[in-house]
């Protein structure tokens, strides 16, 4: 059976034992050559950092200056495998001055191991790296409490660090956290369970890494195929080669090419000397089309009814990676590299920088090396992209200095610029009315923050039932809360809209704008809408203040929805009496990484409501 691949990185404060841990995994995976083992043993005696024991860190610290200082400076990649799985690990530096190196190592990781020295506890740099892991949306996190040997394998010390991290992580967007006590130097809980921690009931690190499930982390919904090159060996063949960034594709499916928006159908999918019945995210293939349409490097093939966002003004979370600062007082032309496309661009505005130690926001017009900032970028041509949270491949960019050809920054796209929508205002004779009271004033009065709980899911999944239960709970607790329901708004506010894709998008746009007004008054608004398209939900998120939108996926098997069929709509849709019904003859784009996932076909409503309440408390909303 073909082994799966796990890409992971180690991070954490200086001297927390990152290199030692990875060296231990390499050594004990039994994949080192005899000459490598001999060199390691010789170097361990030479440097003498671990007495008579083998210094596993020397396997990772490849640079002479790293071995001399006993620290990691550059990102070091290593490959190893076990009978269960293949691994590519990035050992990233702990020093703040090497933040850019850590961002580089994390850009393709499926999992992050954050190390904490048990004898020192949670340090500022540990928190900083946890923030960066959250920012880069790495799906799985392991907090490895290392050097347990220095605290006599104390359960109390371990529990204290775990609780400290849990409390800190409530401010972040970390989805899946696992805690493991280890001693990388003495191999406790690294490849096998240690007898020195009988109180720990979980797995050792390596068995956990062999089993952690990452296939579902990929986006198999939104087909995105950036064209890298055109292959034309003779006049009878014209194919487009590239790597599928996300989604799946089959011969016969209709696609359109961006930016020309010319449509065609997939004729064949080639992989080396054979054709495929289906290709999916991560595969490098060559696609031929039934029609001769103009496509070149940098263009993107997508499905007609599932388009990415398109704009030349985007909001980006940026990590500045160049020694020379970016100063907006003298704007500089840069090149945005997005998938296989390069476009002239410039940073138009710095909204704020984030102090990664305190998470405070600071106003500035200058970005220095390793600064993390929210910026607005304007490009010479429209980009077609996704939100980074939805699609890491099409939601990320790098900025290149056109003079030196250096990579100066890496960015995660949040959305099209919020200011872009102001262009859609047709009347020039309107102004925002200032009512003196700010959102903060309302929130202070209410005793909680404003937010939008956006319930999305198939018809019959239980959205309205859950919305009513959340509404009742929050109202009983004295919160300022209101609810918007899909059917109710179509009796008035959206009564002029049908159920075409455009009408559905307009429906969600109106609800989003209405929700925004409620949030500005400090209210918690529960929105219950099928909202089948990710781009519509992302739009609502983009117009709300950061941290105020909770995409809540009501996850329910469609067969269960059909059995429930509370309005008899599935029966009509299957009989052909209703056209364009979501889940039957109209697509539903399930969230790939929702803020909250509620399995309504598995758990009772009371438990689902409690999950929402816990999330709101964790995020400081209530």
């Amino acid at each position: 059976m073909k082994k799966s691949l796990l890409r992971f990185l180690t991070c954490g404060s200086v001297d927390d034992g990152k290199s030692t841990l990875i060296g231990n995994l390499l050594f004990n995976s039994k994949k080192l050559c005899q000459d490598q083992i001999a060199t390691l043993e010789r170097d361990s005696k030479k440097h003498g950092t671990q007495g008579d024991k083998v210094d596993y860190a020397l396997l990772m610290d490849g640079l002479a200056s790293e071995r001399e200082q006993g620290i990691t400076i550059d990102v070091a990649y290593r490959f190893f495998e076990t009978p269960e799985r293949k691994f590519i690990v990035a050992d990233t530096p702990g020093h703040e001055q090497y933040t850019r190196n850590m961002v580089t190592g994390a850009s393709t990781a499926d999992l992050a191991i954050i190390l904490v020295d048990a004898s020192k506890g949670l340090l500022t740099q540990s928190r900083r790296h946890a923030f960066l892991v959250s920012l880069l949306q790495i799906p799985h996190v392991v907090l490895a409490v290392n050097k347990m040997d220095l605290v006599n394998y104390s359960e109390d010390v371990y529990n204290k660090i775990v609780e400290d991290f849990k409390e800190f992580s409530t401010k972040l967007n970390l989805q899946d956290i696992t805690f493991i006590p280890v001693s990388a130097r003495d191999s406790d809980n690294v490849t096998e369970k240690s007898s020195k921690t009988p109180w720990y009931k979980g797995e050792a690190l390596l068995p956990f890494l062999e089993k952690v499930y990452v296939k579902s982390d990929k986006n198999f919904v939104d087909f995105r195929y950036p064209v890298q090159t055109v292959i034309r060996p003779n006049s009878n063949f014209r194919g487009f080669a590239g790597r599928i960034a996300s989604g799946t594709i089959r011969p016969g499916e209709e696609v359109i090419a961006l930016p020309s928006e010319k449509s065609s159908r997939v004729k064949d999918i080639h992989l080396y000397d054979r054709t495929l019945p289906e290709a999916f995210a991560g595969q490098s293939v060559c696609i031929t089309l039934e029609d001769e349409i103009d496509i070149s490097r940098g263009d993107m093939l997508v499905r007609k009814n599932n388009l990415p966002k398109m704009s030349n003004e985007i909001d980006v979370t940026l990590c500045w990676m160049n020694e020379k600062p970016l100063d907006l007082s003298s704007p500089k032309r840069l090149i945005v590299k997005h998938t296989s496309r390069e476009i002239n661009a410039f940073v138009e505005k710095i909204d704020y920088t984030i102090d990664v130690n305190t998470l405070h926001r600071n106003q500035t017009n200058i970005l220095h090396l390793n600064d993390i900032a929210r910026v607005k970028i304007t490009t010479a041509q429209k980009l077609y992209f996704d939100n980074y949270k939805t699609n890491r491949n099409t939601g990320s960019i790098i900025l290149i200095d056109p003079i030196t050809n250096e990579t100066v920054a890496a960015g995660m796209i949040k959305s099209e610029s919020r200011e872009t929508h102001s262009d859609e205002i047709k009347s020039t004779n309107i102004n925002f009315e200032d009512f003196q009271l700010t959102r903060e004033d309302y929130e202070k009065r209410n005793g909680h923050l404003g937010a939008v709980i956006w319930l999305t899911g198939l018809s019959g999944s239980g959205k309205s039932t859950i919305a009513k239960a959340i509404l009742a709970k929050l109202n009983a607790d004295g919160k300022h809360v209101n609810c918007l329901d899909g059917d109710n708004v179509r009796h008035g506010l959206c009564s002029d809209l049908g159920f075409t894709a455009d009408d559905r998008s307009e429906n969600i746009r109106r609800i989003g704008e209405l929700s925004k007004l409620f949030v500005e008054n400090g209210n918690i608004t529960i929105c219950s809408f099928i909202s089948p398209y990710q781009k519509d939900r992302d739009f609502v998120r983009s117009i709300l203040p950061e941290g105020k939108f909770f995409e809540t996926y009501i996850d329910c098997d469609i067969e269960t929805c059909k059995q429930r069929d509370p309005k008899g709509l599935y029966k009509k849709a299957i009989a052909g009496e209703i056209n364009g019904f979501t889940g039957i003859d109209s697509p539903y784009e399930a969230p790939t990484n929702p803020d909250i996932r509620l399995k309504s076909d598995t758990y009772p409503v009371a438990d689902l409501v409690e999950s929402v309440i816990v999330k709101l408390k964790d995020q400081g909303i209530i």
Side-chain angles (χ1 to χ4, degrees):
M1 188 177 73
K2 187 177 179 181
K3 294 180 183 178
S4 60
L5 172 68
L6 178 72
R7 295 174 182 269
F8 69 98
L9 82 155
T10 57
C11 53
S13 187
V14 178
D15 204 29
D16 275 352
K18 300 181 291 297
S19 299
T20 302
L21 178 67
I22 301 308
N24 190 314
L25 287 172
L26 290 173
F27 188 86
N28 289 303
S29 66
K30 313 294 185 186
K31 292 297 180 182
L32 292 179
C33 299
Q34 287 300 319
D35 62 325
Q36 290 176 298
I37 296 174
T39 302
L40 176 63
E41 291 173 345
R42 186 191 65 227
D43 289 347
S44 296
K45 292 178 181 176
K46 175 183 175 183
H47 293 278
T49 53
Q50 300 296 334
D52 296 332
K53 296 182 179 179
V54 172
D55 186 355
Y56 299 116
L58 297 177
L59 282 171
M60 299 301 294
D61 294 338
L63 302 176
S65 54
E66 290 180 329
R67 294 188 172 202
E68 290 169 357
Q69 300 179 66
I71 64 170
T72 301
I73 296 174
D74 201 358
V75 181
Y77 293 93
R78 292 290 186 274
F79 171 85
F80 70 100
E81 66 179 308
T82 67
E84 305 295 328
R85 189 172 231 174
K86 297 178 180 178
F87 300 92
I88 295 177
V89 54
D91 184 21
T92 61
H95 278 280
E96 185 171 0
Q97 70 190 84
Y98 299 121
T99 295
R100 58 178 172 176
N101 305 52
M102 190 251 171
V103 171
T104 302
S107 59
T108 58
D110 303 306
L111 179 145
I113 299 176
I114 303 174
L115 279 93
V116 175
D117 186 333
S119 64
K120 298 177 181 176
L122 207 60
L123 301 177
T124 299
Q125 284 170 298
S126 312
R127 292 186 172 90
R128 188 160 53 82
H129 281 190
F131 168 73
L132 291 172
V133 167
S134 168
L135 192 68
L136 291 159
Q137 291 286 296
I138 298 176
H140 308 278
V141 176
V142 173
L143 187 82
V145 183
N146 192 23
K147 301 189 181 182
M148 289 298 295
D149 52 299
L150 299 182
V151 295
N152 295 320
Y153 301 91
S154 167
E155 182 181 8
D156 291 340
V157 172
Y158 170 76
N159 288 338
K160 175 69 168 54
I161 293 172
V162 168
E163 289 305 314
D164 287 348
F165 189 82
K166 283 182 177 178
E167 182 181 354
F168 173 71
S169 66
T170 58
K171 304 172 185 174
L172 307 177
N173 186 20
L174 298 176
Q175 301 294 327
D176 178 27
I177 309 173
T178 301
F179 301 91
I180 302 177
V182 299
S183 171
R185 189 190 69 169
D186 295 341
S187 302
D188 293 307
N189 289 330
V190 177
T191 57
E192 297 177 351
K193 282 289 292 291
S194 171
S195 59
K196 299 171 185 172
T197 55
W199 42 265
Y200 173 64
K201 305 303 179 187
E203 293 181 292
L205 179 61
L206 185 58
F208 173 80
L209 296 177
E210 289 175 328
K211 294 175 184 174
V212 63
Y213 189 71
V214 296
K215 288 185 178 178
S216 61
D217 300 331
K218 287 189 176 181
N219 182 335
F220 290 109
V221 176
D222 308 305
F223 175 65
R224 307 285 187 258
Y225 184 70
V227 175
Q228 293 179 0
T229 187
V230 179
I231 296 178
R232 193 173 177 82
N234 55 57
S235 60
N236 297 322
F237 186 93
R238 183 166 177 261
F240 309 102
R243 185 171 182 265
I244 299 176
S246 62
T248 63
I249 193 69
R250 288 173 173 270
E253 290 193 278
E254 186 176 16
V255 294
I256 66 170
L258 297 175
S260 69
E261 299 190 17
K262 299 289 185 183
S263 65
S264 182
R265 289 187 180 278
V266 175
K267 183 179 179 182
D268 287 308
I269 303 170
H270 298 265
L271 180 65
Y272 304 115
D273 57 349
R274 59 192 171 97
T275 58
L276 301 176
E278 183 178 21
F280 48 84
Q283 283 189 303
S284 295
V285 296
C286 177
I287 292 178
T288 58
L289 302 179
E290 293 180 353
D291 305 285
E292 291 287 338
I293 59 176
D294 181 19
I295 299 175
S296 58
R297 175 180 169 80
D299 291 359
M300 184 184 289
L301 295 179
V302 300
R303 282 203 177 88
K304 187 175 183 178
N305 294 322
N306 183 358
L307 300 177
K309 299 174 186 295
M310 287 178 274
S311 176
N312 62 349
E313 293 183 345
I314 52 176
D315 284 338
V316 177
T317 301
L318 201 70
C319 176
W320 190 251
M321 306 168 76
N322 196 262
E323 300 280 355
K324 188 176 181 180
L326 173 70
D327 187 348
L328 292 196
S329 61
S330 55
K332 181 179 181 179
R333 182 174 72 89
L334 298 167
I335 294 175
V336 164
K337 182 171 174 56
H338 175 251
T339 63
S340 57
R341 196 174 181 212
E342 295 184 0
I343 304 173
N344 286 329
F346 65 93
V347 178
E348 183 175 329
K349 178 184 176 186
I350 301 172
D351 290 330
Y352 53 80
T353 59
I354 303 170
D355 185 330
V356 293
N357 297 323
T358 63
L359 305 187
H360 289 160
R361 299 176 178 181
N362 304 308
Q363 302 300 317
T364 181
N365 278 323
I366 300 177
L367 292 184
H368 298 278
L369 176 67
N370 294 321
D371 273 352
I372 306 288
R374 175 77 173 263
V375 304
K376 176 185 175 183
I377 293 177
T378 299
T379 57
Q381 301 167 24
K382 282 188 176 181
L383 283 177
Y384 11 97
F385 59 91
D386 295 289
N387 180 290
Y388 181 82
K389 186 175 182 181
T390 305
N391 195 326
R392 292 171 71 182
N393 291 315
T394 55
S396 57
I397 60 169
I398 61 172
L399 294 181
I400 300 171
D401 187 323
I403 305 300
T404 64
N405 210 31
E406 289 180 302
T407 298
V408 296
M412 288 74 72
I413 301 175
K414 299 288 289 184
S415 65
E416 67 264 57
S417 174
R418 298 174 190 178
E419 296 175 13
T420 302
H421 301 293
S422 62
D423 297 338
E424 299 172 2
I425 299 174
K426 296 179 179 178
S427 175
T428 58
N429 299 316
I430 57 174
N431 296 291
F432 268 109
E433 194 67 39
D434 184 1
F435 288 98
Q436 307 283 317
L437 290 175
T438 66
R439 185 181 71 246
E440 288 75 15
D441 293 327
Y442 287 113
E443 291 175 337
K444 185 177 181 180
R445 178 205 63 186
N446 294 344
H448 60 79
L449 304 183
V452 170
I453 305 168
W454 190 277
L455 308 184
T456 175
L458 293 168
S459 177
S461 60
K463 296 184 299 301
S464 296
T465 301
I466 296 169
K468 292 174 187 174
I470 298 172
L471 178 70
K473 170 63 176 171
L474 291 175
N475 183 62
D477 290 345
K479 312 303 180 190
H480 290 247
V481 58
N482 49 333
C483 188
L484 298 173
D485 180 80
D487 281 359
N488 291 357
V489 298
R490 284 182 177 273
H491 282 83
L493 178 65
C494 301
S495 59
D496 58 323
L497 300 176
F499 288 90
T500 65
D502 288 344
D503 279 356
R504 286 186 151 191
S505 293
E506 173 60 15
N507 184 48
I508 298 305
R509 188 194 70 80
R510 294 182 190 180
I511 302 306
E513 295 287 356
L514 183 59
S515 303
K516 179 183 174 183
L517 294 176
F518 285 140
V519 169
E520 289 304 312
N521 283 273
N523 292 340
I524 298 173
T525 302
I526 304 164
C527 296
S528 174
F529 295 87
I530 293 174
S531 48
Y533 305 124
Q534 185 66 54
K535 64 182 178 62
D536 296 336
R537 302 192 294 266
D538 287 344
F539 166 76
V540 180
R541 183 190 295 274
S542 74
I543 63 174
L544 288 164
E546 196 160 340
K548 298 288 189 180
F549 180 83
F550 294 88
E551 186 181 47
T552 305
Y553 177 32
I554 311 302
D555 189 356
C556 182
D557 180 75
I558 190 169
E559 295 306 320
T560 303
C561 295
K562 289 178 183 176
Q563 291 171 11
R564 291 174 177 169
D565 202 11
K567 302 171 186 173
L569 299 178
Y570 280 103
K571 187 177 180 180
K572 291 182 179 179
I574 294 170
E577 297 174 20
I578 300 176
N579 294 323
F581 191 76
T582 303
I584 301 299
D585 58 349
S586 183
Y588 175 73
E589 299 168 5
T592 54
N593 191 16
D595 300 286
I596 306 170
R597 181 188 295 270
L598 304 178
K599 286 284 291 179
S600 64
D601 54 1
T602 306
Y603 296 99
V605 173
D607 288 357
L608 304 179
V609 172
E610 183 59 25
S611 297
V612 174
I613 299 300
V614 168
K615 182 70 174 180
L616 295 179
K617 288 181 178 177
D618 286 347
Q619 297 301 310
I621 301 299
I622 59 176

